Amino acid sequence: MKKEHIIILGVETSCDDTAVSLVAEGREILSSLVSSQMDLHERFGGVVPEVASRRHLEIINALIEEAMEEADLNFSDLSAIGVTYGPGLVGALLIGVSTAKALAYTCHLPLIAVNHIEGHMYANFLAHGDLPFPLVSLIVSGGHTNLVYMEDHGKMEIMGRTRDDAAGEVFDKIARSLELGYPGGPVIDNLSKKGNPLAIPFPRAYLEEGSYDFSFSGLKSAVLNHLNRQKLKGEKVNIPDLAASFQEAVVEVLVEKTLAAARDKGVRTISLSGGVAANQALRLSLEQKAREKGYRLFFPPLSLCTDNAAMVACVGYYQYLREDFASLDLNAVPGLQLISSL
Ligand code: KG4
Ligand code: ZN
């Protein structure tokens, strides 16, 4: 790979995955390594922040070296370093941010501050190239649920977000109360295939007329109440039916709100991303409804739905083109939000 190519090193440590990637021209993945900490956090039923930061620190340098070797690059071949600076766990983010700053300083490279949620949105640009604007983007992960109208790169309006739990978070919490392990999304996704999604009529929170916000805490309580009631009555809980009915309630609201947002904004393109975008029922339902209504739907391959650094490098590429660089006093911002820029 020659110097005339724009090559971004992406670094991602916002939660429990340490990830490093090298991406050329915002499209070509030269290397994408994700070191999962699932084994460390599984027995606690969720991510333990201190444990996550320590593991990031232990492996980040070796992971960068490995990615550089895999891509057969020297630091002098790089154009810039893009790093997730929020949102996420502060201690975890700091490992990535400090590492990226140190590298940028010693290698005389520009530093690019990447919003993790934008990273998820850009997994689609990475996978499919330039999507037709304007578009409506649904981002659903363990920490975030956002509906965004995107007019162009760097020009967006935040239409809705969750008012309580994120979509992935409820999958994880329900799985934990069913003692199904962590993360809960993939387990519930699989179990649901054997269950009846119409078995239990769990509530759907559509909120006020015209609202694009989400709320999943009522659904979470309804599922937990159902479980407790069954236990008190001494009745056996049909886990696949419960999983499928819960999943159906989440998917229906996500799909309906996304279609309403696309209709109201008059766009023809919809994109779906984030860890929960790996959910088979969500992919299928949105695909079917989007097709019926004539929308073009884009979602990333499974490997780019959950956290990775290639998506971070892809955002870095577009920021590089706009010369949107950060200074070396960049700090981690755990509560970073997406901000409307229209
Ligand atoms: O994007 P991600 O890797 O991390 C965050 O930024 O949060 O998303 C992880 C979340 C977890 O809550 C996990 O349970 C959920 O994505 N998830 C799924 C599936 N695969 C991962 N949720 C539903 N169905 C899946 N197949
Ligand atoms: Zn994420």
Side-chain angles (χ1 to χ4, degrees):
M1 207 44 74
K2 289 277 164 297
K3 186 76 190 166
E4 60 263 28
H5 289 278
I6 298 172
I7 302 176
I8 310 286
L9 168 68
V11 177
E12 157 63 47
T13 62
S14 66
C15 192
D16 60 340
D17 290 313
T18 320
V20 174
S21 177
L22 288 147
V23 173
E25 306 298 326
R27 275 307 304 271
E28 192 187 344
I29 301 175
L30 306 175
S31 172
S32 179
L33 304 177
V34 181
S35 172
S36 166
Q37 304 184 356
M38 215 118 83
D39 53 328
L40 283 180
H41 303 286
E42 204 171 6
R43 67 196 164 106
F44 302 109
V47 178
V48 185
E50 291 78 7
V51 176
S53 326
R54 187 176 300 214
R55 176 57 74 89
H56 287 312
L57 184 60
E58 280 165 6
I59 65 165
I60 184 91
N61 288 337
L63 212 62
I64 291 174
E65 255 174 55
E66 199 182 325
M68 294 296 288
E69 265 171 38
E70 194 178 285
D72 196 18
L73 292 173
N74 297 311
F75 286 112
S76 59
D77 298 319
L78 302 182
S79 310
I81 301 176
V83 62
T84 301
Y85 75 113
L89 303 168
V90 66
L93 287 164
L94 274 171
I95 306 299
V97 169
S98 321
T99 308
K101 287 201 295 193
L103 265 180
Y105 178 70
T106 48
C107 302
H108 306 288
L109 289 167
L111 181 70
I112 299 174
V114 175
N115 181 317
H116 181 81
I117 309 174
E118 243 181 284
H120 280 300
M121 292 169 73
Y122 272 76
N124 275 306
F125 291 90
L126 179 63
H128 308 291
D130 268 324
L131 272 51
F133 288 118
L135 58 88
V136 158
S137 180
L138 173 69
I139 307 112
V140 268
S141 72
H144 330 280
T145 309
N146 286 89
L147 250 180
V148 178
Y149 168 70
M150 213 177 161
E151 200 172 271
D152 204 339
H153 297 292
K155 285 190 180 167
M156 62 177 89
E157 177 196 334
I158 316 313
M159 298 180 71
R161 50 170 58 99
T162 182
R163 293 186 185 170
D164 37 60
D165 290 350
E169 197 178 347
V170 266
F171 271 93
D172 295 336
K173 285 179 177 167
I174 298 298
R176 183 158 56 181
S177 49
L178 292 172
E179 295 175 14
L180 296 173
Y182 171 85
V187 191
I188 291 187
D189 193 351
N190 274 330
L191 268 174
S192 298
K193 290 178 187 139
K194 292 176 245 152
N196 173 9
L198 305 175
I200 311 157
F202 287 128
R204 275 80 163 140
Y206 280 99
L207 307 172
E208 317 82 64
E209 176 84 28
S211 171
Y212 305 108
D213 278 349
F214 299 93
S215 167
F216 295 109
S217 64
L219 170 62
K220 183 181 67 189
S221 304
V223 176
L224 298 180
N225 287 342
H226 176 87
L227 258 178
N228 289 336
R229 261 198 316 272
Q230 295 290 99
K231 270 188 201 156
L232 282 176
K233 282 196 265 173
E235 286 175 14
K236 199 169 169 296
V237 182
N238 182 325
I239 304 288
D241 277 357
L242 183 112
S245 302
F246 155 73
Q247 180 175 276
E248 178 69 13
V250 177
V251 167
E252 185 189 300
V253 176
L254 290 175
V255 169
E256 291 308 319
K257 293 225 172 205
T258 305
L259 291 172
R263 181 198 60 213
D264 296 348
K265 284 291 180 188
V267 304
R268 302 306 322 150
T269 312
I270 296 175
S271 77
L272 167 69
S273 58
V276 182
N279 187 273
Q280 294 301 319
L282 175 61
R283 289 163 92 97
L284 257 172
S285 170
L286 193 55
E287 198 169 30
Q288 192 186 334
K289 298 238 166 80
R291 196 180 318 116
E292 274 167 25
K293 296 193 186 313
Y295 294 110
R296 285 188 71 188
L297 173 69
F298 295 88
F299 46 71
L302 293 184
S303 60
L304 295 178
C305 283
T306 44
D307 287 350
N308 64 87
M311 67 187 197
V312 174
C314 181
V315 178
Y317 168 76
Y318 286 97
Q319 289 187 203
Y320 182 90
L321 295 181
R322 297 200 295 274
E323 297 186 14
D324 180 1
F325 299 125
S327 64
L328 286 175
D329 62 3
L330 176 71
N331 209 345
V333 182
L336 187 70
Q337 299 270 349
L338 276 182
I339 295 171
S340 293
S341 49
L342 279 186

